[in-house]
Amino acid sequence: MALSPQQQVIVQHPFDEHALVLAVAGSGKSTTMVERIANLIEAGKFDPTRVIAVMFNDAAAKNLLASLGRRLGKRNTPQSVTFHRMGTLTLRALMLGGFAEPWTFHGDPSKAIKFTVEVIESACKQHGHKYPRIVARDFLNFVDRVKSELLPPAQVFENGDWPARYDWFVSWYRQFEKERHAKKVRFFSDLIFDPVMIMTENPKAAAYVVGAFDHIIIDEYQDICRSQHVLVRFVAGKHAKVMAVGDDDQTIYGWRGARAEYILREFHDDFPGATTYTLNRTWRYGHALSCASNYVIHGNSDRADKLCISGENAPNTELFLEYDMPAGGKPKIVKIVEKWLGAGGNLTEMVVLVRSYSKSAGSQFALLQHGIPFRIEGGDEASVLENKWVSSLIGWMKLAAGQAAINPYAGDPDLGSIIEARKFIDVPSLGLGWEKSGILAKMALQDPDDGVGFSKFVSTHIASRNQSQAERVIYRGKLWRKLRAIGKSRNFPKAAILLKELLYFLDIEKAIVQEAGKQEDADEIISLVEAFIEYVKVNSKGKTLPEFMNHIQDLLDTSDKAKEATTALLITSCHRSKGMEWPCVIMPSLWQGSFPIIPRSIDKAKIENHLQDERRLFYVAMTRAIRALYFIAPRDPKLDPWLLACKGGNCDDVIPFAKNAGMASQFLYESNLFLSQALPYILAGGKGRESLKAASPELLNKYLEELNFNYRVAKIA
């Protein structure tokens, strides 16, 4: 493709200077990077082995390598690597220089967990944590965060949202590192951390690695953490020239240590004299979406001053605000899908983007009920019916409906039946371990009457000294006996009442909090369970328990068939959508507290930073659309007049920072949708535009100015 004037200037950037490129979504930055590298090799005559491109993930690195191969030929193609690969190359150089030892590398996450469990097992016993493996995941996340931010463990703990019961993580980090060094092993994060620490502590080591490259080109710079930033600084030294490409407005990985400050300020501090370029023309979406996204992201204060403008050949993108109310007897999301398909589109062109998977539960149920196949990118736990806590509740309800463990097995139960029984018998976990919980499920199926299987298991498989575990199993056996008796008597309770009793008996919420570790993670799972509870309340009316459980089984069967469908609607998270695009994007559940998410106990001092993070994520999600973007929100009586007045901007006086399922997301208020939708009409010279006035037309007028369009929208006095 022909380069735009903005792209051409970047490609021709002087060979002896650093550069920072701020590129909006859909601005063709990959093409620009390929042509910049080609210019270095063809016009600059730089040796391809002395040029390296650093990408954020393996897929991006491979894609760029393929593009470079097509453009330059295999012999002239430089390296395209990830940050961790760059760390590995640096470690190898340090080993050759005698500054580092060739320790064993474990890339398998399960080995990192196993090592961590061994390190922290005694600490878990000391601090009353029953399941070291669960704690190990949180501890390893803490270790990785310390290594990515290069801050003292105490500061990382204070800055983060770690539960108070994990305060021992701070002191135990040193023990973890002591044992890692003693065993001479490295895990994934150490591929960057170890060379950075070696070079930080030994100037001779740092000097040794400098000079390997003349040019370093880095993509997605807004996503890097401090250790990655420092690694680039060391490898470049005062020799290599660095060109970093990214968009501060798309800094959405704060939980991994990413900070907008690296691309906004620290790049210029560490690479002085760098020229800043802007790629602000997008060819992905049209003027209406560019305008709306500009209004949203301008709510952030910590960002570069830039405006996204749609290019001449960008598609016309339509924006739709849909209220979350049935239309023609069907849920709104189903009507949107049917409308798209009816216009000749297909399911693979569509995506449902959610802030959290728990907020997709309503969409999942609606699609299942109407036989629309979908797949969820995020694992089985993201599926409301396959989440282990919901699966457990469904299993117990089936037992009460007489649809599970109907008769004793004459011999050994089949493996499938054992797995299904274990799904509900051992959730919440009884602490038996994988093998013993399977044995319990087997014995329960062999002797189902009066929970005999449970008592037999206690007498044969639990040591007499482990009284507390025996009591937990016996207690679970009481539930089995009660529910199976209901199933045999055919005296069925209402599904909603049964579910309420199950939640109380199993103390589900407490179990989720204990297992999740972080309150934020627990809230996500609890929300998913609550969505199932609400579905049962609404859809079990007028049905007997067996009838309703048959309905649930139909939904499960539909879900299984959807997994095999070659054409299916994708449901994924806003975080996972970054770097992707779809003709039609649907964003459901846009109410205050759902998006932006409002943590249960957020520190007031952190509210503004939190909102800026959430706003960036909303911006990323909305800019994935090409032809159509659907917002689905509650029928908020304040929203319509706000949009019709073309207000946009600050809406603190309308939307308080509090959860309110009846109030639309503040980001919809900020988007100035009515004015944004009017922009294509204005540019087309539509009649009546002269009478258009708005409370905050400044951004739109600036947009018109950049397009050299002489019309301006008047400001309401």
Side-chain angles (χ1 to χ4, degrees):
M1 61 178 285
L3 296 176
S4 70
Q6 286 183 337
Q7 293 172 317
Q8 190 64 50
V9 171
I10 295 166
V11 170
Q12 298 295 332
H13 173 72
F15 299 139
D16 59 348
E17 295 179 6
H18 301 300
L20 175 66
V21 180
L22 299 176
V24 303
S27 60
K29 65 182 177 67
S30 296
T31 299
T32 307
M33 290 172 64
V34 168
E35 289 304 315
R36 169 61 180 176
I37 293 170
N39 192 49
L40 288 171
I41 293 167
E42 293 176 342
K45 305 300 182 183
F46 288 95
D47 184 339
T49 63
R50 297 185 61 77
V51 177
I52 187 169
V54 185
M55 311 298 284
F56 202 71
N57 57 54
D58 191 53
K62 289 178 179 176
N63 287 339
L64 184 68
L65 189 65
S67 297
L68 289 170
R70 289 190 294 270
R71 175 65 178 80
L72 293 166
K74 190 173 182 180
R75 288 183 60 187
N76 291 321
T77 298
Q79 293 186 77
S80 176
V81 302
T82 63
F83 274 101
H84 286 89
R85 177 62 180 165
M86 190 182 193
T88 301
L89 294 174
T90 307
L91 263 175
R92 287 180 181 175
L94 291 169
M95 290 175 198
L96 287 173
F99 298 104
E101 295 181 53
W103 292 0
T104 301
F105 171 63
H106 293 307
D108 185 350
S110 64
K111 290 187 177 180
I113 290 290
K114 184 175 183 295
F115 177 86
T116 305
V117 169
E118 292 172 355
V119 171
I120 68 170
E121 195 164 14
S122 61
C124 287
K125 289 181 180 178
Q126 180 183 345
H127 294 277
H129 303 297
K130 295 180 181 178
Y131 310 113
R133 189 172 183 82
I134 294 173
V135 178
R137 295 189 185 94
D138 291 327
F139 181 78
L140 199 56
N141 286 337
F142 176 76
V143 169
D144 289 347
R145 190 66 175 268
V146 172
K147 292 180 177 181
S148 68
E149 296 197 1
L150 302 182
L151 291 172
Q155 190 172 342
V156 171
F157 192 87
E158 182 181 349
N159 293 345
D161 57 351
W162 314 96
R165 65 180 179 277
Y166 286 163
D167 58 359
W168 57 272
F169 281 10
V170 174
S171 59
W172 219 257
Y173 170 84
R174 294 176 180 82
Q175 182 65 26
F176 178 91
E177 282 297 275
K178 181 180 178 181
E179 297 201 27
R180 184 176 74 84
H181 280 248
K183 294 185 178 180
K184 297 186 176 183
V185 296
R186 291 189 175 100
F187 302 109
F188 205 56
S189 61
D190 300 312
L191 296 179
I192 295 174
F193 178 73
D194 279 1
V196 163
M197 294 309 297
I198 290 169
M199 292 185 290
T200 299
E201 295 166 0
N202 188 342
K204 290 183 179 179
Y208 185 81
V209 304
V210 173
F213 304 105
D214 295 325
H215 284 273
I216 304 173
I217 295 88
I218 308 167
D219 192 22
E220 305 288 8
Y221 208 78
Q222 78 282 347
D223 291 334
I224 69 167
C225 59
R226 180 166 295 279
S227 62
Q228 292 168 329
H229 177 83
V230 173
L231 177 66
V232 173
R233 188 181 69 201
F234 274 127
V235 173
K238 293 184 178 180
H239 177 79
K241 299 306 172 187
V242 180
M243 176 178 280
V245 184
D247 182 6
D248 53 293
D249 290 331
Q250 297 187 63
T251 307
I252 62 173
Y253 298 131
W255 47 274
R256 282 200 316 221
R259 297 285 184 273
E261 65 192 63
Y262 300 134
I263 191 170
L264 290 175
R265 292 175 289 277
E266 294 203 16
F267 181 85
H268 289 283
D269 292 341
D270 290 333
F271 304 103
T275 301
T276 298
Y277 298 98
T278 302
L279 280 176
N280 74 333
R281 291 295 192 273
T282 182
W283 286 273
R284 177 183 295 163
Y285 43 84
H287 296 296
L289 181 48
S290 283
C291 188
S293 63
N294 284 327
Y295 268 104
V296 169
I297 201 60
H298 270 72
N300 278 6
S301 57
D302 191 19
R303 63 182 298 273
D305 184 17
K306 61 183 183 297
L307 203 65
C308 177
I309 307 287
S310 294
E312 291 182 9
N313 299 319
N316 176 40
T317 309
E318 294 186 274
L319 308 181
F320 301 94
L321 175 59
E322 301 284 351
Y323 292 115
D324 199 4
M325 302 166 64
K330 294 181 179 179
K332 190 57 62 74
I333 192 170
V334 172
K335 295 295 289 185
I336 293 171
V337 172
E338 290 179 344
K339 177 183 175 182
W340 184 263
L341 298 179
N346 63 69
L347 290 175
T348 58
E349 296 174 323
M350 310 182 77
V351 68
V352 177
L353 297 183
V354 292
R355 173 58 183 88
S356 63
Y357 286 111
S358 67
K359 303 304 183 292
S360 74
S363 298
Q364 290 182 46
F365 281 126
L367 296 169
L368 286 170
Q369 285 177 303
H370 290 83
I372 298 173
F374 66 88
R375 62 185 178 88
I376 301 179
E377 191 177 84
D380 288 344
E381 288 297 291
S383 169
V384 62
L385 290 178
E386 295 178 36
N387 174 271
K388 75 173 187 178
W389 302 95
V390 175
S391 288
S392 172
L393 294 169
I394 290 173
W396 289 113
M397 291 173 78
K398 282 184 175 180
L399 185 67
Q403 297 174 352
I406 301 170
N407 297 304
Y409 276 78
D412 287 344
D414 60 278
L415 183 60
S417 297
I418 293 174
I419 292 173
E420 285 301 309
R422 176 162 45 192
K423 281 183 181 179
F424 63 94
I425 288 175
D426 195 39
V427 178
S429 176
L430 292 167
L432 298 171
W434 179 256
E435 184 179 353
K436 281 192 173 182
S437 65
I439 294 171
L440 173 59
K442 176 182 175 181
M443 295 179 73
L445 292 171
Q446 287 175 323
D447 293 300
D449 293 327
D450 297 325
V452 172
F454 288 82
S455 56
K456 284 185 177 180
F457 176 84
V458 169
S459 62
T460 56
H461 289 87
I462 295 182
S464 57
R465 65 179 181 276
N466 200 343
Q467 188 62 32
S468 62
Q469 190 174 71
E471 289 175 356
R472 289 197 298 272
V473 174
I474 292 296
Y475 188 72
R476 197 67 54 88
K478 289 180 179 177
L479 178 62
W480 172 283
R481 182 169 64 248
K482 179 181 179 180
L483 297 185
R484 192 167 183 277
I486 291 173
K488 291 185 73 174
S489 70
R490 316 296 292 176
N491 185 21
F492 303 114
K494 292 182 178 180
I497 294 174
L498 171 62
L499 182 56
K500 185 177 180 180
E501 291 182 0
L502 282 171
L503 292 166
Y504 175 78
F505 191 95
L506 296 169
D507 205 356
I508 290 287
E509 184 169 344
K510 180 181 178 181
I512 290 173
V513 171
Q514 287 178 338
E515 184 172 312
K518 289 186 179 181
Q519 186 62 51
E520 182 180 327
D521 295 337
D523 288 346
E524 171 76 358
I525 299 169
I526 291 168
S527 293
L528 205 62
V529 173
E530 287 174 343
F532 175 68
I533 296 168
E534 185 61 27
Y535 184 82
V536 173
K537 285 180 182 177
V538 173
N539 293 275
S540 65
K541 292 177 181 177
K543 296 184 179 74
T544 65
L545 179 61
E547 288 172 342
F548 180 70
M549 296 317 297
N550 287 337
H551 167 71
I552 292 294
Q553 187 58 51
D554 289 342
L555 297 184
L556 287 166
D557 292 342
T558 301
S559 179
D560 288 339
K561 290 176 183 176
K563 293 176 185 177
E564 301 171 2
T566 55
T567 302
L569 174 67
L570 173 65
I571 299 177
T572 192
S573 70
C574 296
H575 280 101
R576 284 175 176 262
S577 74
K578 190 167 174 294
M580 308 291 285
E581 59 182 37
W582 292 269
C584 179
V585 171
I586 304 170
M587 295 177 65
S589 302
L590 297 182
W591 48 271
Q592 190 71 354
S594 171
F595 205 162
I597 278 183
I598 298 176
R600 225 181 251 190
S601 55
I602 186 169
D603 187 333
K604 289 184 179 179
K606 296 180 179 180
I607 288 176
E608 183 53 37
N609 286 338
H610 173 73
L611 278 177
Q612 295 210 29
D613 288 340
E614 291 288 294
R615 193 175 283 112
R616 291 187 192 104
L617 187 58
F618 192 90
Y619 172 83
V620 166
M622 67 191 298
T623 55
R624 301 308 97 192
I626 299 174
R627 288 161 49 195
L629 172 61
Y630 287 90
F631 297 117
I632 303 180
R635 185 68 198 228
D636 182 349
K638 292 183 179 181
L639 183 58
D640 280 342
W642 180 273
L643 296 179
L644 289 172
C646 308
K647 290 185 178 180
N650 192 306
C651 54
D652 292 344
D653 57 332
V654 178
I655 302 228
F657 186 73
K659 292 183 180 180
N660 186 342
M663 183 163 278
S665 163
Q666 70 181 76
F667 301 142
L668 290 178
Y669 281 80
E670 295 173 6
S671 66
N672 222 341
L673 279 178
F674 184 86
L675 195 57
S676 298
Q677 289 169 318
L679 178 56
Y681 184 77
I682 293 171
L683 292 172
K687 294 180 180 180
R689 63 181 185 177
E690 292 79 9
S691 62
L692 183 60
K693 294 183 179 181
S696 56
E698 291 83 3
L699 275 178
L700 182 136
N701 285 337
K702 188 176 179 181
Y703 193 105
L704 294 170
E705 182 181 347
E706 287 217 20
L707 290 176
N708 295 317
F709 202 81
N710 60 14
Y711 171 78
R712 299 291 181 269
V713 173
K715 184 177 178 66
I716 298 174

